[in-house]
PDB file of all heavy atoms in Angstrom:
ATOM      1  N   GLU J 252     -19.163   9.539   5.192  1.00 96.00           N
ATOM      2  CA  GLU J 252     -19.810  10.723   4.648  1.00 96.00           C
ATOM      3  C   GLU J 252     -20.345  10.470   3.240  1.00 96.00           C
ATOM      4  O   GLU J 252     -19.615   9.982   2.378  1.00 96.00           O
ATOM      5  CB  GLU J 252     -18.812  11.875   4.608  1.00 96.00           C
ATOM      6  CG  GLU J 252     -19.525  13.193   4.514  1.00 96.00           C
ATOM      7  CD  GLU J 252     -18.557  14.354   4.601  1.00 96.00           C
ATOM      8  OE1 GLU J 252     -17.576  14.247   5.380  1.00 96.00           O
ATOM      9  OE2 GLU J 252     -18.779  15.335   3.898  1.00 96.00           O
ATOM     10  N   PRO J 253     -21.652  10.777   3.016  1.00 96.00           N
ATOM     11  CA  PRO J 253     -22.192  10.578   1.671  1.00 96.00           C
ATOM     12  C   PRO J 253     -21.508  11.481   0.647  1.00 96.00           C
ATOM     13  O   PRO J 253     -21.038  12.571   0.998  1.00 96.00           O
ATOM     14  CB  PRO J 253     -23.676  10.967   1.808  1.00 96.00           C
ATOM     15  CG  PRO J 253     -23.952  10.952   3.265  1.00 96.00           C
ATOM     16  CD  PRO J 253     -22.662  11.285   3.948  1.00 96.00           C
ATOM     17  N   LEU J 254     -21.477  11.022  -0.571  1.00 97.00           N
ATOM     18  CA  LEU J 254     -20.967  11.840  -1.677  1.00 97.00           C
ATOM     19  C   LEU J 254     -22.152  12.587  -2.259  1.00 97.00           C
ATOM     20  O   LEU J 254     -23.140  11.963  -2.676  1.00 97.00           O
ATOM     21  CB  LEU J 254     -20.336  10.916  -2.730  1.00 97.00           C
ATOM     22  CG  LEU J 254     -19.980  11.495  -4.086  1.00 97.00           C
ATOM     23  CD1 LEU J 254     -18.915  12.576  -3.957  1.00 97.00           C
ATOM     24  CD2 LEU J 254     -19.443  10.376  -5.003  1.00 97.00           C
ATOM     25  N   GLN J 255     -22.062  13.915  -2.234  1.00 96.00           N
ATOM     26  CA  GLN J 255     -23.205  14.690  -2.712  1.00 96.00           C
ATOM     27  C   GLN J 255     -23.004  15.112  -4.154  1.00 96.00           C
ATOM     28  O   GLN J 255     -22.073  15.845  -4.478  1.00 96.00           O
ATOM     29  CB  GLN J 255     -23.367  15.934  -1.836  1.00 96.00           C
ATOM     30  CG  GLN J 255     -24.808  16.124  -1.426  1.00 96.00           C
ATOM     31  CD  GLN J 255     -24.948  17.313  -0.517  1.00 96.00           C
ATOM     32  OE1 GLN J 255     -24.838  18.463  -0.950  1.00 96.00           O
ATOM     33  NE2 GLN J 255     -25.193  17.048   0.745  1.00 96.00           N
ATOM     34  N   MET J 256     -23.877  14.606  -5.053  1.00 96.00           N
ATOM     35  CA  MET J 256     -23.787  14.926  -6.480  1.00 96.00           C
ATOM     36  C   MET J 256     -25.165  14.895  -7.077  1.00 96.00           C
ATOM     37  O   MET J 256     -26.031  14.155  -6.627  1.00 96.00           O
ATOM     38  CB  MET J 256     -22.974  13.833  -7.198  1.00 96.00           C
ATOM     39  CG  MET J 256     -21.489  13.936  -7.026  1.00 96.00           C
ATOM     40  SD  MET J 256     -20.672  12.532  -7.823  1.00 96.00           S
ATOM     41  CE  MET J 256     -20.921  12.946  -9.545  1.00 96.00           C
ATOM     42  N   GLU J 257     -25.353  15.684  -8.123  1.00 96.00           N
ATOM     43  CA  GLU J 257     -26.647  15.683  -8.814  1.00 96.00           C
ATOM     44  C   GLU J 257     -26.560  14.723 -10.009  1.00 96.00           C
ATOM     45  O   GLU J 257     -25.468  14.439 -10.510  1.00 96.00           O
ATOM     46  CB  GLU J 257     -27.018  17.098  -9.289  1.00 96.00           C
ATOM     47  CG  GLU J 257     -27.027  18.147  -8.187  1.00 96.00           C
ATOM     48  CD  GLU J 257     -27.829  17.752  -6.953  1.00 96.00           C
ATOM     49  OE1 GLU J 257     -28.972  17.253  -7.122  1.00 96.00           O
ATOM     50  OE2 GLU J 257     -27.322  17.919  -5.832  1.00 96.00           O
ATOM     51  N   THR J 258     -27.724  14.233 -10.423  1.00 96.00           N
ATOM     52  CA  THR J 258     -27.779  13.297 -11.538  1.00 96.00           C
ATOM     53  C   THR J 258     -27.091  13.886 -12.764  1.00 96.00           C
ATOM     54  O   THR J 258     -27.314  15.049 -13.101  1.00 96.00           O
ATOM     55  CB  THR J 258     -29.254  12.971 -11.862  1.00 96.00           C
ATOM     56  OG1 THR J 258     -29.874  12.543 -10.654  1.00 96.00           O
ATOM     57  CG2 THR J 258     -29.364  11.885 -12.913  1.00 96.00           C
ATOM     58  N   GLY J 259     -26.263  13.072 -13.412  1.00 96.00           N
ATOM     59  CA  GLY J 259     -25.582  13.549 -14.618  1.00 96.00           C
ATOM     60  C   GLY J 259     -24.254  14.220 -14.362  1.00 96.00           C
ATOM     61  O   GLY J 259     -23.458  14.375 -15.287  1.00 96.00           O
ATOM     62  N   GLU J 260     -23.998  14.582 -13.131  1.00 97.00           N
ATOM     63  CA  GLU J 260     -22.714  15.222 -12.841  1.00 97.00           C
ATOM     64  C   GLU J 260     -21.586  14.182 -12.802  1.00 97.00           C
ATOM     65  O   GLU J 260     -21.821  13.018 -12.463  1.00 97.00           O
ATOM     66  CB  GLU J 260     -22.756  15.921 -11.476  1.00 97.00           C
ATOM     67  CG  GLU J 260     -23.392  17.288 -11.539  1.00 97.00           C
ATOM     68  CD  GLU J 260     -23.456  17.985 -10.171  1.00 97.00           C
ATOM     69  OE1 GLU J 260     -23.128  17.367  -9.134  1.00 97.00           O
ATOM     70  OE2 GLU J 260     -23.858  19.159 -10.171  1.00 97.00           O
ATOM     71  N   THR J 261     -20.392  14.643 -13.150  1.00 97.00           N
ATOM     72  CA  THR J 261     -19.237  13.752 -13.122  1.00 97.00           C
ATOM     73  C   THR J 261     -18.180  14.279 -12.149  1.00 97.00           C
ATOM     74  O   THR J 261     -17.910  15.463 -12.134  1.00 97.00           O
ATOM     75  CB  THR J 261     -18.619  13.630 -14.534  1.00 97.00           C
ATOM     76  OG1 THR J 261     -19.614  13.117 -15.410  1.00 97.00           O
ATOM     77  CG2 THR J 261     -17.418  12.690 -14.550  1.00 97.00           C
ATOM     78  N   ALA J 262     -17.637  13.383 -11.368  1.00 98.00           N
ATOM     79  CA  ALA J 262     -16.577  13.771 -10.424  1.00 98.00           C
ATOM     80  C   ALA J 262     -15.409  12.815 -10.541  1.00 98.00           C
ATOM     81  O   ALA J 262     -15.577  11.650 -10.925  1.00 98.00           O
ATOM     82  CB  ALA J 262     -17.112  13.737  -8.988  1.00 98.00           C
ATOM     83  N   ARG J 263     -14.242  13.322 -10.200  1.00 98.00           N
ATOM     84  CA  ARG J 263     -13.058  12.463 -10.138  1.00 98.00           C
ATOM     85  C   ARG J 263     -12.985  11.885  -8.733  1.00 98.00           C
ATOM     86  O   ARG J 263     -12.941  12.637  -7.747  1.00 98.00           O
ATOM     87  CB  ARG J 263     -11.806  13.292 -10.415  1.00 98.00           C
ATOM     88  CG  ARG J 263     -10.546  12.487 -10.278  1.00 98.00           C
ATOM     89  CD  ARG J 263      -9.309  13.354 -10.518  1.00 98.00           C
ATOM     90  NE  ARG J 263      -8.162  12.482 -10.760  1.00 98.00           N
ATOM     91  CZ  ARG J 263      -7.264  12.655 -11.716  1.00 98.00           C
ATOM     92  NH1 ARG J 263      -7.348  13.680 -12.547  1.00 98.00           N
ATOM     93  NH2 ARG J 263      -6.251  11.803 -11.846  1.00 98.00           N
ATOM     94  N   LEU J 264     -13.038  10.561  -8.638  1.00 98.00           N
ATOM     95  CA  LEU J 264     -12.916   9.913  -7.336  1.00 98.00           C
ATOM     96  C   LEU J 264     -11.555   9.233  -7.271  1.00 98.00           C
ATOM     97  O   LEU J 264     -11.204   8.431  -8.140  1.00 98.00           O
ATOM     98  CB  LEU J 264     -14.017   8.887  -7.119  1.00 98.00           C
ATOM     99  CG  LEU J 264     -15.478   9.369  -7.316  1.00 98.00           C
ATOM    100  CD1 LEU J 264     -16.450   8.256  -6.974  1.00 98.00           C
ATOM    101  CD2 LEU J 264     -15.761  10.613  -6.479  1.00 98.00           C
ATOM    102  N   ARG J 265     -10.805   9.584  -6.254  1.00 98.00           N
ATOM    103  CA  ARG J 265      -9.451   9.023  -6.095  1.00 98.00           C
ATOM    104  C   ARG J 265      -9.506   8.007  -4.958  1.00 98.00           C
ATOM    105  O   ARG J 265      -9.794   8.356  -3.812  1.00 98.00           O
ATOM    106  CB  ARG J 265      -8.482  10.143  -5.722  1.00 98.00           C
ATOM    107  CG  ARG J 265      -8.438  11.299  -6.712  1.00 98.00           C
ATOM    108  CD  ARG J 265      -7.588  12.411  -6.112  1.00 98.00           C
ATOM    109  NE  ARG J 265      -7.576  13.636  -6.922  1.00 98.00           N
ATOM    110  CZ  ARG J 265      -6.650  13.931  -7.827  1.00 98.00           C
ATOM    111  NH1 ARG J 265      -5.671  13.089  -8.071  1.00 98.00           N
ATOM    112  NH2 ARG J 265      -6.701  15.084  -8.483  1.00 98.00           N
ATOM    113  N   PHE J 266      -9.247   6.763  -5.275  1.00 98.00           N
ATOM    114  CA  PHE J 266      -9.244   5.696  -4.265  1.00 98.00           C
ATOM    115  C   PHE J 266      -7.813   5.316  -3.918  1.00 98.00           C
ATOM    116  O   PHE J 266      -6.991   5.095  -4.795  1.00 98.00           O
ATOM    117  CB  PHE J 266     -10.004   4.478  -4.757  1.00 98.00           C
ATOM    118  CG  PHE J 266     -11.485   4.719  -4.888  1.00 98.00           C
ATOM    119  CD1 PHE J 266     -12.016   5.120  -6.105  1.00 98.00           C
ATOM    120  CD2 PHE J 266     -12.340   4.597  -3.798  1.00 98.00           C
ATOM    121  CE1 PHE J 266     -13.387   5.376  -6.234  1.00 98.00           C
ATOM    122  CE2 PHE J 266     -13.697   4.841  -3.909  1.00 98.00           C
ATOM    123  CZ  PHE J 266     -14.221   5.235  -5.141  1.00 98.00           C
ATOM    124  N   VAL J 267      -7.550   5.250  -2.621  1.00 98.00           N
ATOM    125  CA  VAL J 267      -6.238   4.805  -2.140  1.00 98.00           C
ATOM    126  C   VAL J 267      -6.497   3.678  -1.160  1.00 98.00           C
ATOM    127  O   VAL J 267      -7.282   3.822  -0.229  1.00 98.00           O
ATOM    128  CB  VAL J 267      -5.525   5.953  -1.371  1.00 98.00           C
ATOM    129  CG1 VAL J 267      -4.191   5.462  -0.837  1.00 98.00           C
ATOM    130  CG2 VAL J 267      -5.359   7.202  -2.231  1.00 98.00           C
ATOM    131  N   ASN J 268      -5.843   2.549  -1.361  1.00 98.00           N
ATOM    132  CA  ASN J 268      -5.979   1.458  -0.399  1.00 98.00           C
ATOM    133  C   ASN J 268      -4.839   1.543   0.609  1.00 98.00           C
ATOM    134  O   ASN J 268      -3.709   1.181   0.302  1.00 98.00           O
ATOM    135  CB  ASN J 268      -6.000   0.112  -1.115  1.00 98.00           C
ATOM    136  CG  ASN J 268      -6.356  -1.015  -0.163  1.00 98.00           C
ATOM    137  OD1 ASN J 268      -6.342  -0.861   1.062  1.00 98.00           O
ATOM    138  ND2 ASN J 268      -6.672  -2.177  -0.718  1.00 98.00           N
TER     139      ASN J 268
END
Side-chain angles (χ1 to χ4, degrees):
E252 199 175 323
L254 168 63
Q255 226 178 72
M256 282 176 71
E257 305 310 314
T258 306
E260 278 180 353
T261 301
R263 176 181 196 136
L264 306 184
R265 304 172 186 265
F266 292 94
V267 178
N268 189 346

